[in-house]
Amino acid sequence: MASAHDKAVLQAIFSPTTPFGDIPGLNQEEELTDDDSSFDPVLLKQVKDLELKGISAAEAGDVKTALHHFNQAIQILPSRSSAYNNRAQAKRLQGDTKGAIKDLEQAISLSKDKGRSACQAHVQRGLLLRLACRDEEARADFERAAALGSEFARQQAIILNPYAALCNRMLSEVIGKLRNPEMPDMQ
């Protein structure tokens, strides 16, 4: 069985864009959940059913119906963050980026920046900000989502970190020289 150090070395060789010693999944937190215990169980079930219908409609390409279901879920339990995340995706599919970001900010606020909804909202907002070339804000969202346990967000934060990119490039060059010592310097 390989030690953590051995795994880190192999990770550096086969995936030189990640920092040395950073093994994906090694420190990943357990599955995130939202604390829905404060909601009436009957209303919560109703809202979850509406969200599932909305997700199914969105996956089928019927964004208008999806939005209708998400809006109903929000009307029933306006202080639950999950439906805002889902509605943000539907708004994004419609091209309403500002509306999507507003819903994601609401989801983060309602979740008190904890749990699955906060993690997803930070990832989604980070992606939208990155598409808008607002990389510093996107990196902050990815870092927060990574702290909440998102492996994808951790990778995105590394990609957007200029210092990490420089270190990774240098490490790639070193590994390249170790693989092929005959190779001339690329400077």
Side-chain angles (χ1 to χ4, degrees):
M1 178 155 210
S3 70
H5 182 265
D6 294 339
K7 290 178 184 176
V9 170
L10 290 172
Q11 179 69 24
I13 291 169
F14 294 112
S15 187
T17 59
T18 58
F20 183 75
D22 203 5
I23 306 166
L26 182 66
N27 297 318
Q28 188 152 0
E29 296 180 24
E30 55 193 65
E31 182 83 18
L32 285 173
T33 59
D34 289 326
D35 181 13
D36 288 335
S37 63
S38 64
F39 300 113
D40 177 291
V42 174
L43 294 179
L44 183 61
K45 182 181 179 343
Q46 189 179 7
V47 164
K48 285 183 176 184
D49 289 344
L50 284 167
E51 286 186 71
L52 288 174
K53 288 178 184 177
I55 291 167
S56 293
E59 288 174 347
D62 188 356
V63 179
K64 183 178 179 181
T65 299
L67 282 169
H68 175 72
H69 289 304
F70 298 139
N71 287 335
Q72 283 183 309
I74 289 168
Q75 284 179 334
I76 294 169
L77 288 177
S79 59
R80 186 169 182 268
S81 59
S82 179
Y84 289 94
N85 269 339
N86 290 318
R87 188 172 74 176
Q89 282 300 334
K91 286 181 176 182
R92 183 193 57 79
L93 289 171
Q94 280 190 321
D96 181 8
T97 302
K98 286 182 182 179
I101 288 175
K102 184 178 177 184
D103 274 354
L104 294 170
E105 289 169 353
Q106 183 68 11
I108 291 167
S109 174
L110 290 172
S111 67
K112 296 179 178 59
D113 207 12
K114 296 177 188 168
R116 182 177 182 188
S117 289
C119 185
Q120 289 176 339
H122 279 292
V123 169
Q124 292 176 55
R125 189 173 67 180
L127 290 169
L128 291 173
L129 292 170
R130 187 151 189 221
L131 286 172
C133 298
R134 294 164 56 184
D135 288 349
E136 282 304 308
E137 293 168 89
R139 185 168 59 93
D141 268 330
F142 290 136
E143 287 173 354
R144 180 62 189 138
L148 290 168
S150 171
E151 181 66 24
F152 172 79
R154 187 185 67 77
Q155 291 294 328
Q156 293 302 307
I158 290 168
I159 290 168
L160 289 172
N161 183 330
Y163 178 72
L166 177 63
C167 291
N168 290 336
R169 190 174 73 234
M170 290 169 50
L171 179 61
S172 293
E173 289 174 12
V174 169
I175 290 172
K177 287 179 183 179
L178 289 173
R179 285 183 181 159
N180 187 1
E182 315 296 314
M183 191 170 79
D185 285 341
M186 298 197 160
Q187 295 176 11

